C-alpha cells in the first residue's frame, strides 16, 4: 500500500513540472515526512545554527470556523485575538515550511535551505495525543486541493507532535500512575470473571503447563537446556528464554483474554512465578512468566520491570514530541523568525507546540515574546514607507506578488543578468541535501516550504532596500539588533483589514501610520460603545430597512453605519453611546407591554415575530470566546445558552467595563437570567481520552476477537 | 451456552431438511470461495468525472433490484469518549449522540449496492461514490466546515484510503432543504400564472402604484409591437437609452421588463394588472435573496406557441441547474423514489448522516426522526438487528465478526455475483463493506428463512416478514472498546438488568480509577453495602449502577442532605464531587451540551435546571422511546 504514495508524489511532481514554466527542473525543496524526519531534524539543526534568519510558513485546514468569525472591520482588538485563538484551536496544521537563510560572504549570496514538513496530529500516545479532533473548512480544503496539496502524504506520512503542555501532562500522568500503583499493581488484573467452561478448562491447562515447566526448571537447575522442555510441546506458544538473568516462559499467540487468565493463574497458584509484560501497551508488547527463587528476588524483578516500564514510557513520550523538536530548535536558537502576515501562524505555533492559548492578547504576547524574542512580519515591513518600491501598490502585498515584484531575479530565474542590474538585488541560492542550485523553475504557491522560501527572499530584499548591508554583518546577532531593522521587529498585523498592529515586545496596539493606509476605504470611525448587536430579526429586513426603521425612532442621523455580521445578525453603530442603552430599554419595554402603542410603534417592525434579540458589543465578544461554532450567528447565540432577548447596558460607555462578568452582574437586575456558562477556552487541546486509545488499534482488536471467537466456537463444538 | 447449543442443533436440523439441495449448495460454496476473496469484487468507483455517465446505470440497477445496501465512510464518529453510544444510553440519548456526530462529521465515501437475492444467489451492483462537500455555488453549502477525528482518519489511512481522490474529485451535493434555499438564493424565476387572488379593496397607494406601472408596461410594450416606432429607434444609442429609461432587458432572447415591488401585495397587484393585457405577456417572479419577492419580470412573447416554448425553456433551465446543484443527492433521490428496502449496518448512525446531509436538518428527537425518515425511506433494515435475532446475547457488532460467527454455526451458502465487467485495474478499490453487508444480509435471510424466491416460500408473506424487521434503530456501540483502565475489573456478573432509575452519575473527582472509587464508596455509606458497580464513563465522570431498586434514591437523598455523609465520601463531596440521576444526563444530551468531559456537561445541565425544557416535559411512559428498563452488558460500559 505504501508503495503507491511515492508514485503519487511523483505524478504530482510531473503535473507540477508541466503546469509551471517549461523548464524541466522543479524547485528544489526538502520534503520531510515521518520516515526521514530524524535525519532532516539533525541537518536542520546545523542549518538553523548557522542561519542569519529563518523564514516560516504554515498551511492549515481552515481559517474561520463560522462566517461570523471572519475578520471584520469592526472587530475590537480583543475580539480579533479571540478570533485568531478560535482559529488556532480548531484547525490543524498540515504543512510547516522552515527555510533557514545564511549569508555566504564568498559567494555574495544567501544560501537558503527550504524544508517542507508534512504534519498530521496523529495520536502516538495512548493517552493524550495532540488532538482528538480538528476542523476542516471546506473552502480551505478545496483551496489546498487546487494547489495540488497531497492529503495522502499528510495523513499517511505526516510527522506528529506533542506540545510542551501535553508532554508535561503525559509525564505527570505517567508518574502519577506509577506512584499510586504499588509494585504489585503494576500490570495486574484483579478479577477476571472465569465464567465459561472454556475459561475454566483453559486455566486448568495453563496451570498444569506452568507446573510442568517449573518442575522441569527445578529438575534441570537454572540454565538447563531449553530445547528439551519446549520440544515436549508441539505448540509454538510457549518458549523458554532468559529475562534479566532469570529463566522465563515467553508467551506467544495468546489473545488478550487468555493472557489475562494466565496472569490470574500465575498469581493465584505460583508464589515463585511472576507475570511480566514489557514493550509498553503497543501491539508488539511481549508477555513473560518469570521464575524467581525468593521473595527478595521477586521484588527486585518487579522493581526492575517497573523501572524498565517507566523508561520505555518516557522514551515513547520523547519520541511523540516529533515536530515540536523543530519549534524548540527555533526557539532555543533565538534566531530572527520571518513570516508573512504571520499573527495567525504564531498563534497556531503557540497552541500546537507550547500549550493552550491564553485568554487575552496581552498574556499571549508576553508569553510568545519569551519563546521567540525576534519576529519580523514582511507584510508590516513592506507597508512601511521606506521599503516599498515606488511601483508597488500598497494593496498588493500578498506574498506572491511581493515576491515577483521585489525579487524578479529569483522568481524568474532565467533573466538573472538582464535589465534588472540597475537595482541592487540580493542573490539567493538554494541548497537541498548538499546539492546547491541557482537555477530552478518556480515552485508551487501555497506549499509551505516554497512560501517560506519566498518570504525569506522578500525579507532579504526588503532589508537591502532599507540599506542593510549583509556583507558587513556576518552574524545573526547583528541582524536582530540592526538599527535599521529594529523599528520593524516584533510588529505583527493583528488584522490586515483594519491595519491594527500589535507590538509583541510591549503588547501595545499600534494603529498603522495614517498616511500609509489611504488605500483603504475609510468608513466612519468604529466606536465600540456606540454599537448595538441585533440578531434574529425578521428575515425580510435588510440593512437599509433596518437603518430606516431605527432612524424613524431615534432621528435621521442617529445611525452612523450598519454592518452585516451574517444573514441573521447585524451591528448598528449609533451616533451617540447613550442611544445604545436608550434603544435597548425601548426594545425591552415594547416587548413587555402588549398595548396598541407598542404594536403601532415604528420599532415594532424590527420586533415582528418576537425573536429579535439585541445587546451591546460586549456580548459579541462573549459569543466569540465560546468554543462552540455554529454556522449562523443566531444559532451560535442559542447554542451558548443565551435565553434572553435584550441585554441592557449601563448609561456609561461600555468600553469602561472591561470585564464581561462584572458587566453582567451590574445589570443583573434588568437582564433576563441566562444560563451561566463558564465558557472554557483553551482546554480543547487537552482532550486526553483514554477510551480512544483502543480506537486506533481497532484492527488488532477485531483480529483478536475473531481468533477468540473461532477458538471458543471450536471448543464448544 | 445453552442457547448456543440449541442454535447449533437448530442449524443441524436445517441441514437435514435441506438434504436434497446439498450437492448444489456444495457446488455453489465452492464457487463462492473464489468470489469471497474480496479483492476480486468489482466495485465501480465513481468520482466527479464519471458521475453523470454512472447515473443511468445505477438508475436501472436500482429499479430492477430487490434491496439496496448502503455503507458510509465518515471522517469520524465521536469527538469525546462519552459522545459515543454506550450501553446505558436510551434510544433517545443514542439518537442525540448520533445526531451530534452526523452534524459534525462528513461523509467521504458513500457506497450503494442494489442487489437481488435468488435462492442462495446474490446479484449485486456495487458502486462507491467519492464525496466532497465542495462549495460549488459559493454559498457556504453544503457545509461550511466539518470535523475530522484524528484516529478515524489514521485507521482509514491504514486501510489505504485515498483522501486525494475524495478532496480533488469528490462529488458535491446539496440536501433537499439546501436545494430550496439555493434556488431562492440564485433567484430562479418562478412562473406567476397560478397566483390569481384578487385584492378586495385597493388603497389609494395601490391605485397610484398600479396606474404608474400600467402606463410603464403599456409604453414598453408599444415600443416593441408598434413596428413604426421600431424602425425609428433602431439606432443603437436610442436603444440603449430606452433600455436605461424603461428598464428593458432580454430574457431568453425575448424582450422583458423588470418591475420593482416592495411587498407581496404589490406582486399581487402587478399580476392582476397584467391580466388586462393580451396573453403574450408572461409574468415571472424573481425571489429576493432573503426571502420574499425582489421584482416581477414581464416577458413579451410573440405568440401562444412562443409562450409555451418559453415555459419549456424555463423549465429546462431549471432542471439543468437543479441537476448540477443536487450532485450526488440524485442517487439518494433515486433510492428514495424506488421505495425499496434499504439495508445497512448500524442504521442509526448511517441514517442520521443521510438525513442531515441529504434530506433536511435533523429533528430534535428520535420520534420525529423516524417519522421524517420513513417518508423518504419506508423500509430500513439493519443487519445488526437481524443478527440480534439469531444471537440475542452475543456481541457481534461488526461485519467480519458476524460473518465468521454465521460461518461457524450455520449452513448458509450464499454466492455473491457481481456482473460488472472487470474495470481496468484502478489500483485502489474501496467500498467492500457494502458487498459484505449484502452477503451478510443474504445469509441472515437464508437462516431466518426470509430469502425471496426460495422454493417453499410465498413472496408476499416474505415481504411482510421482512417488514417486521424494518425500521428498528437499535443503538449499538459500534467500536470494540478497551476498558479505560486495565486495572478495573469490579464486575462480578457482567450482564444485568437495570432501570435508568438505578443509575447515578458521579463526577468532580480527580484522577481516580473506578476501583478506588468503588472502595471509597463502600466505606462511605450503608447503601453501598449492597451489591453495586462503578464504571468510568470518561476520566471526569463515573456511573454507579445499583442492583437494588430504590438505593439510588437513598444515595441521592443522602448527598443532598449531607448530615449523613461520612468517611471518604464526605471528603470527596467537600472537594466538589457531585451526583445526578439519569434525567440530568438526558438533559445534557438534549441541550446539546457536548463538552469534552461528561462532568462539565452535567454541571451545565444542573445549572440550567430553572429552564423548562421540551424534553423534560415529555411524558416518560414506557410506551415511548424512553425505555425504563434494559439489559446492560457491563463489560461494554
Amino acid at each position: 500500500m505504501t508503495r503507491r504514495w511515492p508514485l503519487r508524489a511523483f505524478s504530482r511532481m510531473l503535473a507540477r513540472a508541466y503546469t509551471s514554466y517549461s523548464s524541466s527542473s522543479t524547485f528544489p525543496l526538502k520534503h520531510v515526512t515521518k520516515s526521514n524526519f530524524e535525519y532532516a531534524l539533525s541537518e536542520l539543526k546545523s542549518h538553523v545554527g548557522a542561519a542569519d534568519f529563518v523564514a516560516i510558513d504554515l498551511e492549515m485546514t481552515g481559517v474561520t470556523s463560522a462566517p461570523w468569525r471572519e475578520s471584520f472591520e469592526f472587530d475590537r482588538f480583543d475580539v480579533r485575538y479571540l478570533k485568531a485563538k478560535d482559529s488556532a484551536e480548531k484547525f490543524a496544521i498540515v504543512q510547516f515550511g522552515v527555510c533557514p537563510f545564511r549569508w555566504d560572504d564568498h559567494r555574495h549570496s544567501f544560501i537558503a535551505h527550504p524544508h517542507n514538513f508534512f504534519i498530521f496530529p496523529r495520536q502516538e500516545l495512548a493517552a493524550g495525543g495532540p488532538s482528538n479532533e480538528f476542523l476542516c473548512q471546506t473552502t480551505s480544503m478545496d483551496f489546498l486541493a487546487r494547489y495540488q496539496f497531497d492529503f495522502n502524504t499528510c495523513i499517511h506520512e505526516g510527522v506528529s507532535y506533542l506540545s510542551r503542555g501535553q508532554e508535561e501532562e503525559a509525564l505527570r500522568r505517567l508518574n502519577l500512575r506509577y506512584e499510586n500503583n504499588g509494585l504489585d499493581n503494576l500490570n495486574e488484573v484483579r478479577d477476571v470473571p472465569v465464567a465459561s467452561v472454556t475459561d475454566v478448562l483453559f486455566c486448568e491447562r495453563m496451570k498444569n503447563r506452568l507446573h510442568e515447566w517449573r518442575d522441569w526448571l527445578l529438575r534441570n537447575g537454572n540454565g538447563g537446556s531449553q530445547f528439551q522442555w519446549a520440544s515436549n510441546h508441539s505448540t509454538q506458544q510457549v518458549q523458554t528464554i532468559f529475562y534479566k538473568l532469570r529463566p522465563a516462559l515467553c508467551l506467544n499467540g495468546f489473545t488478550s483474554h487468555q493472557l489475562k487468565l494466565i496472569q490470574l493463574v500465575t498469581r493465584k497458584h505460583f508464589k515463585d512465578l511472576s507475570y511480566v509484560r514489557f514493550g509498553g501497551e503497543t501491539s508488539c508488547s511481549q508477555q513473560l512468566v518469570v521464575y524467581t527463587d525468593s521473595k527478595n528476588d521477586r521484588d527486585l524483578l518487579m522493581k526492575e520491570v517497573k523501572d524498565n516500564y517507566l523508561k520505555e514510557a518516557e522514551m515513547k513520550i520523547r519520541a511523540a514530541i516529533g515536530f515540536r523538536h523543530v519549534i524548540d530548535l527555533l526557539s532555543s536558537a533565538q534566531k530572527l523568525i520571518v513570516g508573512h502576515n504571520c499573527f495567525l501562524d504564531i498563534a497556531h505555533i503557540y497552541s500546537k507546540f507550547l500549550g493552550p492559548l491564553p485568554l487575552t492578547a496581552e498574556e499571549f504576547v508576553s508569553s510568545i515574546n519569551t519563546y521567540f524574542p525576534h519576529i519580523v512580519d514582511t507584510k508590516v515591513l513592506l507597508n512601511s514607507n521606506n521599503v516599498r518600491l515606488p511601483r508597488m501598490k500598497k494593496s498588493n502585498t500578498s506574498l506572491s506578488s511581493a515576491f515577483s515584484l521585489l525579487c524578479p531575479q529569483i522568481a524568474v530565474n532565467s533573466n538573472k543578468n538582464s535589465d534588472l542590474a540597475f537595482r541592487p538585488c540580493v542573490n539567493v541560492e538554494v541548497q537541498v541535501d548538499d546539492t546547491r542550485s541557482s537555477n530552478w523553475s518556480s515552485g508551487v504557491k501555497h506549499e509551505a516550504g516554497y512560501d517560506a522560501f519566498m518570504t525569506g527572499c522578500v525579507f532579504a530584499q526588503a532589508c537591502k532596500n532599507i540599506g542593510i548591508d549583509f556583507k558587513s554583518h556576518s552574524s545573526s546577532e547583528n541582524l536582530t539588533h540592526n538599527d535599521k531593522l529594529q523599528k520593524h521587529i516584533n510588529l505583527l498585523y493583528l488584522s490586515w483589514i483594519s491595519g491594527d498592529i500589535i507590538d509583541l515586545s510591549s503588547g501595545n496596539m499600534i494603529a498603522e501610520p495614517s498616511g500609509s493606509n489611504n488605500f483603504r476605504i475609510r468608513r466612519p470611525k468604529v466606536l465600540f460603545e456606540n454599537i448595538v448587536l441585533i440578531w434574529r430579526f425578521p428575515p425580510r429586513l435588510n440593512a437599509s430597512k433596518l437603518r430606516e426603521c431605527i432612524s424613524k425612532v431615534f432621528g435621521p442621523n442617529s445611525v452612523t453605519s450598519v454592518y452585516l455580521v451574517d444573514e441573521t445578525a447585524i451591528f448598528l453603530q449609533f451616533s451617540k453611546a447613550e442611544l445604545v442603552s436608550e434603544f435597548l430599554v425601548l426594545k425591552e419595554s415594547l416587548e413587555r407591554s402588549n398595548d396598541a402603542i407598542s404594536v403601532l410603534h415604528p420599532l415594532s417592525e424590527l420586533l415582528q415575530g418576537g425573536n429579535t434579540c439585541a445587546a451591546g458589543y460586549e456580548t459579541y465578544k462573549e459569543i466569540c470566546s465560546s468554543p462552540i461554532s455554529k454556522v449562523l450567528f443566531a444559532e451560535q447565540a442559542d447554542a451558548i445558552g443565551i435565553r434572553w432577548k435584550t441585554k441592557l447596558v449601563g448609561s456609561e460607555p461600555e468600553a469602561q467595563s472591561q470585564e464581561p462578568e462584572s458587566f453582567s452582574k451590574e445589570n443583573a437586575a434588568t437582564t433576563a437570567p441566562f444560563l451561566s456558562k463558564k465558557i472554557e477556552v483553551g482546554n480543547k487541546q487537552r482532550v486526553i481520552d483514554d477510551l480512544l486509545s483502543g480506537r486506533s488499534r481497532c484492527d488488532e482488536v477485531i483480529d483478536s476477537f475473531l481468533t477468540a471467537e473461532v477458538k471458543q466456537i471450536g471448543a464448544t463444538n | 451456552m445453552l442457547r448456543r447449543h440449541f442454535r447449533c442443533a437448530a442449524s443441524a436440523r436445517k441441514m437435514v431438511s435441506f438434504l436434497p439441495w446439498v450437492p448444489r449448495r456444495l457446488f455453489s460454496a465452492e464457487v463462492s470461495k473464489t468470489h469471497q476473496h474480496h479483492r476480486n469484487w468489482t466495485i465501480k468507483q465513481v468520482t466527479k468525472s464519471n458521475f453523470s455517465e454512472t447515473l443511468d446505470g445505477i438508475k436501472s440497477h436500482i429499479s430492477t433490484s430487490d434491496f439496496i445496501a448502503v455503507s458510509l465512510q465518515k471522517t469520524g464518529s465521536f469527538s469525546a469518549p462519552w459522545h459515543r453510544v454506550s450501553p446505558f444510553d436510551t434510544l433517545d440519548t443514542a439518537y442525540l449522540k448520533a445526531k451530534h456526530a452526523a452534524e459534525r462529521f462528513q461523509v467521504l465515501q458513500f457506497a450503494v449496492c442494489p442487489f437481488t437475492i435468488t435462492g442462495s444467489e446474490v446479484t449485486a451492483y456495487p458502486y462507491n461514490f467519492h464525496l466532497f462537500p465542495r462549495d460549488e455555488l459559493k454559498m457556504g453549502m453544503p457545509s461550511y466546515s466539518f470535523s475530522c477525528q484524528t484516529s478515524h482518519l489514521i485507521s482509514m489511512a491504514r486501510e489505504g484510503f485515498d483522501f486525494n481522490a475524495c478532496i480533488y474529485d469528490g462529488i458535491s451535493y446539496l440536501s433537499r432543504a439546501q436545494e430550496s434555499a439555493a434556488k431562492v438564493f440564485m433567484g430562479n424565476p418562478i412562473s406567476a400564472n397560478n397566483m390569481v387572488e384578487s385584492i378586495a379593496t385597493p388603497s389609494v397607494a395601490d391605485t397610484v402604484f398600479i396606474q404608474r406601472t400600467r402606463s410603464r408596461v403599456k409604453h414598453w410594450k408599444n415600443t416593441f409591437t408598434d413596428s413604426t416606432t421600431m424602425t425609428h429607434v433602431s439606432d443603437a444609442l436610442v436603444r440603449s437609452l430606452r433600455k436605461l429609461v424603461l428598464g428593458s432587458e432580454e430574457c431568453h432572447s425575448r424582450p422583458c421588463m423588470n418591475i420593482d415591488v416592495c411587498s407581496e401585495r404589490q406582486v399581487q397587484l402587478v399580476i392582476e394588472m397584467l391580466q388586462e393585457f393580451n396573453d403574450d405577456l408572461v409574468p415571472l417572479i424573481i425571489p429576493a435573496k432573503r426571502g420574499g419577492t425582489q421584482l416581477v419580470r414581464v416577458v413579451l412573447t410573440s405568440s401562444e406557441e412562443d409562450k409555451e416554448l418559453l415555459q419549456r425553456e424555463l423549465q429546462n433551465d431549471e432542471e439543468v441547474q437543479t441537476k448540477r446543484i443536487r450532485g450526488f443527492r440524485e442517487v439518494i433521490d433515486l433510492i428514495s423514489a424506488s421505495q425499496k428496502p434499504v439495508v445497512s449496518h448500524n442504521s442509526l448512525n448511517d441514517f442520521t448522516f443521510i438525513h442531515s446531509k441529504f434530506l433536511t436538518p435533523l429533528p430534535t428527537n428520535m420520534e420525529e426522526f423516524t417519522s421524517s425518515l420513513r417518508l423518504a425511506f419506508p423500509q430500513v433494515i439493519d443487519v445488526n438487528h437481524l443478527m440480534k435475532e439469531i444471537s440475542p446475547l452475543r456481541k457481534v457488532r461488526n461485519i467480519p465478526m458476524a460473518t465468521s460467527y454465521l460461518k461457524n454455526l450455520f449452513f448458509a451458502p450464499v454466492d455473491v455475483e457481481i456482473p460488472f465487467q472487470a474495470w481496468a485495474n484502478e489500483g485502489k478499490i474501496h467500498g467492500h463493506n457494502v458487498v459484505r453487508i449484502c452477503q451478510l444480509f443474504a445469509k441472515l435471510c437464508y437462516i431466518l428463512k426470509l430469502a425471496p424466491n426460495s422454493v417453499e416460500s410465498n413472496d408476499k408473506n416474505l415481504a411482510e416478514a421482512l417488514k417486521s424487521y424494518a425500521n428498528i434503530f437499535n443503538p449499538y456501540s459500534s467500536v470494540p472498546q478497551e476498558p479505560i483502565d486495565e486495572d478495573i475489573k469490579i464486575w462480578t456478573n457482567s450482564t444485568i438488568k437495570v432501570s435508568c432509575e438505578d443509575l447515578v452519575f458521579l463526577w468532580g473527582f480527580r484522577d481516580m480509577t473506578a476501583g478506588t472509587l468503588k472502595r471509597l464508596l463502600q466505606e462511605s455509606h450503608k447503601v453501598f453495602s449492597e451489591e453495586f458497580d462503578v464504571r468510568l464513563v470518561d476520566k471526569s465522570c463515573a456511573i454507579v449502577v445499583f442492583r437494588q431498586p430504590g438505593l439510588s434514591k437513598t444515595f441521592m437523598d443522602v448527598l443532598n442532605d449531607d448530615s449523613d455523609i461520612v468517611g471518604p465520601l464526605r471528603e470527596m463531596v467537600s472537594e466538589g464531587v457531585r451526583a445526578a440521576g439519569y434525567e440530568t444526563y438526558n438533559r445534557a444530551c438534549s441541550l446539546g451540551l457536548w463538552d469534552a468531559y461528561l462532568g462539565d456537561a452535567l454541571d451545565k445541565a444542573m445549572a440550567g435546571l430553572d429552564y423548562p425544557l421540551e424534553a423534560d416535559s415529555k411524558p416518560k411512559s414506557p410506551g415511548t422511546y424512553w425505555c425504563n428498563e434494559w439489559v446492560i452488558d457491563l463489560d461494554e460500559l
Side-chain angles (χ1 to χ4, degrees), chain A residues 694-706:
Chain A
R695 184 65 191 82
S696 54
R697 299 202 305 275
C698 183
D699 296 356
E700 284 88 341
V701 177
I702 294 170
D703 284 343
S704 67
F705 262 111
L706 274 172

Side-chain angles (χ1 to χ4, degrees), chain B residues 92 95-96 99 361-369 590 614-615:
Chain B
D92 275 314
Y95 167 70
L96 291 167
K99 173 175 184 273
L362 285 163
T364 49
N365 63 56
M366 182 73 189
E367 246 165 293
E368 284 173 45
F369 167 69
S590 324
E614 233 178 288

Side-chain angles (χ1 to χ4, degrees), chain A residues 64 70 121 131-134 136 138 148-152 156 191 539 541 567 673 675 680 689 691 696 709, chain B residues 79 81 84 104 133-134 143-148 150 154 157-158 162-164 168 290 394 489 600 608 611:
Chain A
T64 48
E70 278 159 23
S131 80
N132 178 21
E133 193 186 318
F134 61 88
C136 297
T138 315
Q148 304 285 304
F149 184 87
D150 193 339
F151 295 95
N152 285 336
H156 290 246
D191 286 303
L541 289 185
E567 56 197 281
L675 259 185
E680 19 150 79
D689 76 60
L691 279 169
S696 54
E709 186 92 27
Chain B
S79 32
R84 90 173 107 194
R104 286 177 81 80
R134 203 170 299 101
S143 81
Y144 185 84
S145 63
F146 57 88
S147 278
C148 295
T150 320
I154 294 291
R158 208 177 294 130
D162 189 347
F163 295 93
N164 287 349
Y168 287 27
R290 284 168 49 74
R394 294 192 58 82
K489 283 286 180 239
D600 297 340
Y611 280 89

